């Protein structure tokens, strides 16, 4: 059996469990600090060091997170955790607003996110164009968490659904907020890309204060503004019309780059106070809001089907309703528009073409107003008398809400002809979650016993957009598209709320059998009021073979429940099919007569070593993850007769006018195998403390079955890059980073080299090629000007690598490049080098 063969191989490699880059010491020659970082994630007994954990955990402290030119939490983690990946999404609908992430090569909603050990709610945005690997994913919005608010980040890269529930297939990330009762800091950072765009200004602060003599209140804020970037050239089709005399064509007609982000404000608070009976009450939460404005695909005034043309000829609408009266004007468009002049079309008041209204074509702007709020409160302590004496308890409640209000500007509802608006409120998604937890734990000599329960309610709401963003106008029956073009608004028929609740019971045991051997196990049962129940287990061990070598490993089962968004979402998005812009509608599977979504199921194996000798600490980690019935969007396809009938029965408006559909389905299985190697060393060099850190990750994913596979072909039958290719090769199999940090009395610096192996670059979601490996370099230096003031200068991607350059010849025509210069799915982005200056004040 293949699984058994792989497990045997992994056992020979042997892994202990620091699956990424541990935080390296800040003083040279004391690298043992690395192994003594204290963590709480992955265990329900008292906090323990990383080296003693029965599962692999990395710890990134505040100093580690600060070593980046970006203030986005996603970029900070990408520079510190080898198997953590995040893509910029230049033209990707809502995926450009909340960038999806990947750990261990799995989608963003396969990693559970905790804040202070409590489950974090997911974002409302569903990544319909998530770069292949994240298509359809709905994970939490990590970017709202500012680094200045964090004490540390704990990254558990091991299956943990038996401990924490749904989503923890790839692992768990626990963001621990600062809890200081005094002092604080302020910082200002400004930077821009080497090309002179993307200017980013960030102001942030943290302040801790005492609450009576036994409590604290720690407050943090961050305000950020980021300008858009462009790595584009003029589209050849647009240039041809300019050359022919059309003076209304925008330059460039289409922008490939990062969106503009305005007034990105985040507020975080963390509170705790000890009571006289020895217990503690605590609370923490956040408010975050930002405006995002990103580009879309250009609508060519001589070739956009359903707006300017149909079947290669002018699309002409008769305003009096007599379509035949305009037949004479339906001719092949010419670049200079002379066909409209000579035929008399421009002078005819009854026969309408959008060239009269928007002669240069248009590029919609996709905008979003993202608001994120959360609050968690609870009480924990120890019972000191009665039959529960000696038991620790933790009772808490959490509420989280994420709202994404969408808009589409500089576009039209073609079916309304000359009466169409240009800017639209297209509606909103709202994700809301309420969680109640009751946890117990008691230490019996060497045995730790924990048990508890959880109740969670999750809802996904669709708010309808303004009428003209989705209504059918008078020219619809003459072939003009319906809805705000590019992203149709949510209709009143689509609006509504889908809700689900579940409860869970778990038991978790850890036993220090001897001074050298720790065994642990967990069992969790969950029951959902939609698809039913599931039970999962986990086994783990840590065996100290000698003073310098520990062997540890784990085996677990897990699951990921379909999100309510995936089960109920309605959406219309524009994508490329066979090189042509196509609007496709996403509908719930049940409204198409398809099977209801069921949870993904996983099996995890991990094993490895933690070793230390002569000041060098090394971890070697290997893992295998099998995921069955993965949830994914199906390929775009014309509805079948049965699906149209099901749509009509479900009340979907105008099913006969819907040309392309897709839906979420349990589509295929994957097997992911990986190895991480991390080495750290501290010494006294160059007159100061020096720390070295080397981290390497290899991850390989294989796709089995479903619509994802294309029989080994690079493209599917619609001319798009095969989904399996994107899942298996969209990220580099090999990735590594080497960091050297130097500390003197008042000066510190670090140099990081990042390696990215070969990967398949994809452009416009439908063509791509195998791209070569590459290196990027980050450099930063800080100077302590006074006791409290620190000045920093640095550069990310010092040598200005921009990802693979598109070879337009591979698709046979330059127009297919759509103005792009670089493959948009580069693992290190297409922006290039970024330099920055930062000043901070500590008090």
């Amino acid at each position: 059996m293949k699984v058994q063969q792989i497990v045997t191989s992994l056992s020979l490699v042997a892994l202990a469990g620091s699956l990424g880059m541990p935080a390296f010491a800040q003083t040279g020659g004391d690298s043992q600090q690395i192994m003594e970082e204290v963590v709480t994630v992955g265990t329900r007994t008292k906090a323990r060091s990383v080296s003693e954990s029965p599962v692999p955990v990395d710890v990134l402290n505040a100093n580690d997170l600060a070593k980046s030119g970006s203030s986005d939490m996603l970029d900070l983690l990408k520079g510190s955790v080898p198997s953590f990946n995040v893509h910029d999404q230049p033209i990707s609908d809502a995926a450009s607003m909340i960038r999806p992430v990947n750990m261990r090569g799995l989608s963003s909603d396969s990693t559970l996110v905790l804040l202070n050990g409590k489950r974090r709610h997911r974002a409302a945005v569903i990544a319909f164009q998530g770069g292949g690997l994240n298509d359809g994913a709905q994970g939490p919005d990590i970017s709202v968490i500012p680094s200045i608010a964090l004490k540390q980040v704990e990254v558990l890269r091991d299956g943990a659904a038996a401990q924490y529930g749904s989503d923890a297939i790839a692992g768990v990330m626990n963001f621990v907020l600062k809890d200081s009762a005094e002092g604080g800091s302020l910082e200002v950072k400004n930077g821009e890309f080497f090309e002179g765009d993307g200017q980013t200004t960030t102001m942030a602060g943290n302040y801790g204060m005492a609450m009576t003599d036994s409590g604290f209140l720690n407050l943090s804020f961050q305000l950020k503004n980021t300008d858009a970037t462009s790595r584009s050239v003029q589209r050849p089709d647009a240039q041809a019309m300019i050359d022919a005399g059309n003076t209304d064509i925008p330059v460039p007609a289409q922008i490939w780059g990062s969106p503009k982000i305005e007034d990105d404000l985040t507020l975080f608070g963390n509170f705790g106070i000890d009571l006289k009976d020895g217990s503690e009450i605590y609370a923490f939460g956040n408010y975050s809001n930002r405006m995002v404005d990103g580009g879309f695909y250009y609508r060519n005034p001589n070739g956009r089907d359903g707006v300017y043309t149909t079947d290669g000829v002018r699309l002409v609408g008769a305003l009096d309703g007599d379509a035949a009266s305009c037949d004479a004007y339906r001719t092949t468009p010419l670049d200079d528009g002379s066909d409209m002049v000579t035929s008399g079309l421009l002078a005819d008041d009854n026969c309408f073409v959008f060239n009269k209204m928007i002669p240069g074509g248009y590029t919609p702007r996709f905008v979003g107003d993202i608001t994120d709020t959360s609050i968690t409160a609870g009480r924990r302590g120890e019972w000191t008398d009665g039959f529960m004496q000696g038991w620790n308890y933790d009772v808490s409640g959490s509420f989280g809400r994420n709202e994404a209000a969408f808009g589409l500007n500089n576009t039209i509802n073609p079916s309304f002809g000359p009466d169409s608006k240009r800017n639209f409120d297209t509606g909103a998604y709202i994700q809301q979650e309420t969680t109640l937890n009751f946890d117990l734990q008691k230490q019996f000599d060497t045995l730790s016993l924990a048990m508890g329960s959880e109740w969670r309610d999750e809802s996904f709401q669709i708010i309808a957009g303004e009428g003209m963003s989705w209504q059918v106008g008078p020219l619809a029956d003459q072939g003009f598209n319906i809805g705000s073009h590019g992203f149709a608004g949510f209709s009143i028929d689509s609006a509504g709320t889908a809700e689900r609740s579940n409860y869970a019971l778990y038991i978790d045991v850890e036993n220090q059998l001897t001074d050298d051997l720790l065994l642990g196990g967990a069992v969790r049962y969950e029951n959902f009021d939609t698809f039913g129940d599931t039970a999962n287990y986990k086994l783990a061990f840590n065996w100290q073979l000698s003073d310098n070598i520990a062997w540890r490993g784990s085996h677990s089962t897990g699951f990921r429940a379909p999100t309510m968004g995936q089960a109920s979402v309605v959406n219309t998005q524009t994508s490329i099919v066979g090189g042509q812009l196509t609007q496709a509608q996403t509908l719930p599977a049940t409204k198409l007569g398809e099977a209801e979504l069921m949870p993904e199921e996983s099996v995890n194996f991990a094993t490895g070593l933690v070793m230390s000798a002569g000041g060098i600490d090394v971890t070697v980690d290997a893992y295998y993850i099998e995921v069955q019935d993965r949830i994914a969007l199906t390929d775009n396809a014309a509805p079948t007769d049965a699906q149209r009938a099901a749509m009509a029965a479900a009340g979907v408006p105008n099913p006969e006018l819907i040309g392309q559909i897709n839906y979420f389905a349990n589509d295929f299985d994957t097997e992911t195998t990986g190895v991480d190697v991390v080495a750290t060393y501290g010494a006294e060099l160059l007159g100061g403390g020096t720390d070295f850190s080397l981290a390497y990750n290899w991850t390989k994913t294989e796709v089995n079955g479903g619509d994802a596979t294309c029989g080994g072909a690079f493209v599917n039958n619609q001319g798009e890059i095969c989904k399996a290719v994107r899942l298996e090769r969209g990220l580099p199999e090999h990735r590594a980073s080497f960091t050297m940090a130097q500390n003197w009395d008042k000066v510190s610096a670090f140099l990081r080299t990042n390696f990215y192996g070969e990967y398949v670059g994809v452009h416009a979601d439908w063509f791509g090629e195998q791209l070569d490996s590459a290196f990027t370099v980050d450099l930063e230096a800080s100077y302590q000007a006074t006791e409290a003031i620190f000045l920093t200068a640095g550069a990310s991607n010092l040598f200005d690598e921009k990802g693979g350059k598109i070879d337009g010849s591979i698709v046979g025509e330059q127009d297919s490049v759509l103005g792009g210069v670089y493959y948009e799915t580069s693992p290190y982005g297409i922006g290039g080098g970024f330099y920055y200056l930062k000043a901070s004040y500590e008090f």
Side-chain angles (χ1 to χ4, degrees):
M1 182 178 175
K2 189 172 183 180
V3 172
Q4 293 174 330
Q5 294 172 345
I6 292 175
V7 175
T8 302
S9 300
L10 296 182
S11 298
L12 295 175
V13 176
L15 165 142
S18 287
L19 287 182
M21 181 190 299
F24 50 82
Q26 297 303 305
T27 14
D30 191 17
S31 64
Q32 185 61 30
Q33 286 185 0
I34 300 165
M35 310 310 295
E36 296 307 320
E37 294 281 5
V38 175
V39 296
T40 57
V41 71
T43 180
R44 296 190 186 274
T45 185
K46 63 182 179 180
R48 56 160 54 95
S49 71
V50 169
S51 61
E52 295 174 342
S53 173
V55 290
V57 181
D58 304 330
V59 179
L60 307 173
N61 60 38
N63 290 329
D64 301 314
L65 295 173
K67 289 178 169 57
S68 172
S70 174
S71 55
D72 190 316
M73 179 57 64
L74 303 181
D75 292 323
L76 302 180
L77 292 169
K78 183 174 70 172
S80 301
V81 182
S83 70
F84 184 91
N85 290 276
V86 58
H87 282 164
D88 292 322
Q89 304 287 143
I91 298 179
S92 308
D93 283 351
S96 61
M97 299 180 178
I98 298 180
R99 295 186 297 161
V101 302
N102 310 101
M103 193 159 74
R104 287 184 164 187
L106 298 178
S107 61
S108 64
D109 45 15
S110 295
T111 299
L112 177 64
V113 175
L114 308 176
L115 184 66
N116 280 359
K118 304 298 181 180
R119 176 183 284 266
R120 181 80 176 158
H121 62 280
R122 68 182 73 251
V125 168
I126 300 172
F128 289 101
Q129 295 181 29
L133 196 61
N134 289 295
D135 289 349
Q138 188 187 1
D141 185 4
I142 299 174
S143 66
V144 303
I145 307 175
S147 60
I148 201 167
L150 293 176
K151 181 178 180 179
Q152 66 184 37
V153 180
E154 302 168 354
V155 183
L156 164 65
R157 277 185 280 170
D158 191 58
Q163 296 168 289
Y164 297 105
S166 177
D167 305 351
I169 291 178
V172 180
M173 306 183 74
N174 183 30
F175 295 85
V176 183
L177 297 174
K178 290 180 178 176
D179 55 6
S180 174
E182 60 182 7
S185 62
L186 292 170
E187 66 179 43
V188 178
K189 181 188 291 185
N190 185 266
E192 67 178 24
F193 286 95
F194 290 3
E195 295 212 8
D197 57 8
Q199 185 177 54
T200 301
T201 301
T202 305
M203 295 180 289
N206 173 263
Y207 179 63
M209 67 186 80
M211 300 295 290
T212 71
D213 59 352
S214 59
F216 71 91
L217 175 63
N218 195 278
L219 303 173
S220 303
F221 83 92
Q222 178 177 280
L223 177 63
K224 180 171 65 174
N225 283 280
T226 302
D227 291 339
T229 66
S230 174
R231 301 295 175 265
S232 313
V233 294
Q234 184 60 290
R235 289 173 46 140
D237 58 339
Q239 188 61 50
M241 287 183 288
I242 293 175
D243 294 342
N246 191 329
T247 60
D248 295 295
I249 305 294
V251 180
Q254 182 171 316
I255 295 176
W256 295 93
S258 300
K260 182 179 182 179
I261 303 176
E262 293 184 295
D263 300 327
D264 186 354
L265 174 65
T266 290
L267 306 173
F268 265 82
N270 190 24
F271 163 82
I273 189 168
D274 294 330
L275 304 179
K276 293 182 179 180
D277 62 0
S279 64
E280 176 194 14
I281 56 173
Y282 61 89
F284 52 89
N286 79 285
Y287 168 81
S288 306
N289 179 259
R290 66 181 180 272
M291 298 291 296
V292 183
D293 184 342
F296 232 153
Y297 292 106
Y298 171 61
R299 272 58 181 171
N300 185 311
N302 284 346
R304 183 61 182 101
D305 196 62
V307 181
Y308 288 101
T309 61
T310 180
D311 297 328
V313 300
R314 293 272 183 213
L315 177 57
V316 186
L319 301 183
D320 64 0
D322 181 11
S325 66
C326 299
D327 283 347
Y329 301 129
R330 297 186 176 97
T331 58
T332 301
L334 300 178
D335 281 344
D336 61 1
S338 58
D339 60 295
M340 293 185 292
V341 177
T342 56
S343 66
L345 173 58
L346 291 182
D348 192 321
D349 293 334
N350 177 58
C351 296
F352 174 77
V353 287
F354 271 103
N355 305 76
K356 295 182 180 182
M357 182 175 170
I358 319 172
Y362 59 96
T363 305
R365 300 290 299 179
F366 192 49
V367 298
D369 185 351
I370 313 296
T371 303
D372 187 279
T373 54
S374 71
I375 182 69
T376 295
R379 181 171 179 170
R380 55 188 166 221
E382 179 183 346
W383 273 296
T384 56
D385 54 25
F387 76 98
M388 293 295 291
Q389 183 176 358
W391 284 87
N392 299 303
Y393 66 89
D394 187 344
V395 182
S396 66
S398 300
F399 174 79
R401 184 180 188 273
N402 186 276
E403 177 177 357
F406 304 120
L408 199 66
N409 297 336
N410 193 41
T411 189
I412 50 175
N413 182 333
S415 66
F416 279 90
D419 297 325
S420 174
K421 294 181 61 176
R422 297 301 309 277
N423 298 331
F424 299 87
D425 168 11
T426 55
Y429 292 151
I430 299 175
Q431 175 75 20
Q432 193 165 288
E433 297 177 32
T434 302
T435 306
L436 301 176
N437 291 96
F438 178 54
D439 303 301
L440 294 169
Q441 186 273 334
K442 185 175 182 179
Q443 192 71 35
F444 298 91
D445 194 14
T446 62
L447 176 71
S448 171
L449 175 63
M451 62 184 69
S453 61
E454 179 178 272
W455 176 85
R456 189 167 75 253
D457 182 83
E458 174 186 356
S459 66
F460 182 82
Q461 183 178 7
I462 301 176
I463 305 295
E466 63 176 300
M468 193 176 281
S469 72
W470 54 269
Q471 289 172 346
V472 178
L475 296 183
D477 59 359
Q478 297 185 44
F480 287 81
N481 285 164
I482 300 169
S484 46
H485 202 247
F487 186 90
F490 309 134
S491 69
I492 55 174
D493 301 283
S494 303
T497 302
E499 190 171 5
R500 177 182 69 201
S501 64
N502 70 286
Y503 68 87
L505 302 171
Y506 75 86
I507 185 168
D508 194 325
V509 178
E510 291 185 14
N511 192 358
Q512 191 72 47
L513 289 178
T514 70
D515 290 342
D516 298 325
L517 180 59
L518 172 69
L519 295 179
V523 176
R524 187 181 183 98
Y525 170 82
E526 297 211 25
N527 188 288
F528 292 77
D529 62 8
T530 50
F531 59 78
D533 59 2
T534 180
N536 294 277
Y537 66 87
K538 181 170 184 174
L539 301 171
F541 71 91
N542 185 310
W543 187 4
Q544 193 71 36
L545 302 177
S546 69
D547 290 342
N548 298 322
I549 301 177
W551 176 31
R552 60 184 173 186
S554 66
H555 163 59
S556 64
T557 62
F559 75 104
R560 187 184 76 78
T563 72
M564 292 313 298
Q566 292 169 335
S568 61
V569 70
V570 175
N571 183 67
T572 301
Q573 69 272 5
T574 299
S575 58
I576 301 287
V577 176
Q580 300 296 318
L581 285 178
T582 301
Q583 291 200 144
Q585 186 160 13
T586 301
L587 291 167
T590 52
K591 289 189 176 183
L592 294 167
E594 304 294 337
E596 182 179 357
L597 287 177
M598 298 298 289
E600 301 175 350
E601 296 183 347
S602 67
V603 178
N604 293 54
F605 295 90
T607 182
L609 297 173
V610 175
M611 299 167 284
S612 61
I616 300 176
D617 297 297
V618 180
T619 64
V620 181
D621 311 313
Y623 51 85
Y624 170 81
I625 309 170
E626 180 181 5
V627 186
Q628 296 180 342
D629 298 324
R630 280 187 62 165
I631 298 169
L633 275 172
T634 62
D635 291 334
N636 297 337
T640 64
D641 291 341
Q643 288 173 331
R644 291 191 190 276
M647 285 189 278
V652 175
N654 308 112
E656 70 283 355
L657 299 179
I658 299 175
Q660 296 274 316
I661 60 164
N662 57 44
Y663 58 95
F664 285 97
N666 294 101
D667 193 19
F668 54 89
D669 304 334
T670 59
E671 297 179 13
T672 300
T673 308
V675 175
D676 284 287
V677 179
V678 177
T680 57
Y681 175 69
E684 296 287 341
L685 298 174
L686 305 175
T690 309
D691 293 287
F692 300 94
S693 180
L694 173 66
Y696 164 77
N697 167 255
W698 170 74
T699 298
K700 182 175 179 60
T701 296
E702 295 182 13
V703 179
N704 302 309
D707 292 336
T709 56
C710 299
F714 196 76
V715 297
N716 61 22
N717 56 14
Q718 294 184 339
E720 301 170 306
I721 296 294
C722 181
K723 191 181 297 181
V725 172
R726 303 192 70 173
L727 288 165
E728 294 176 346
R729 300 160 61 191
L731 293 174
E733 287 187 6
H734 300 274
R735 185 177 163 203
S737 63
F738 175 75
T739 303
M740 175 182 176
Q742 186 70 32
N743 292 276
W744 293 281
D745 184 25
K746 291 183 176 296
V747 178
S748 62
F750 83 90
L751 177 69
R752 177 185 294 129
T753 301
N754 305 290
F755 170 76
Y756 300 88
E758 294 180 345
Y759 66 98
V760 169
V762 178
H763 182 67
D765 283 330
W766 78 280
F767 74 88
E769 63 177 316
Q770 181 83 26
L771 299 176
D772 293 335
S773 58
F775 290 90
T776 65
V777 176
D778 305 327
L779 177 65
E780 180 183 282
S782 295
Y783 171 66
Q784 185 175 359
T786 70
E787 191 70 24
I789 297 176
F790 298 81
L791 304 176
T792 301
S796 298
N797 195 352
L798 183 63
F799 298 108
D800 202 27
E801 288 285 342
K802 293 189 179 73
K805 198 165 186 178
I806 298 171
D807 180 1
S809 65
I810 66 171
V811 290
E813 55 176 318
Q814 289 293 326
D815 281 358
S816 299
V817 177
L818 304 175
V821 178
Y822 306 97
Y823 283 100
E824 60 187 287
T825 58
S826 165
Y828 45 92
I830 65 174
F834 183 90
Y835 66 88
Y836 57 94
L837 298 172
K838 182 174 72 173
S840 58
Y841 172 69
E842 297 181 358
F843 55 90

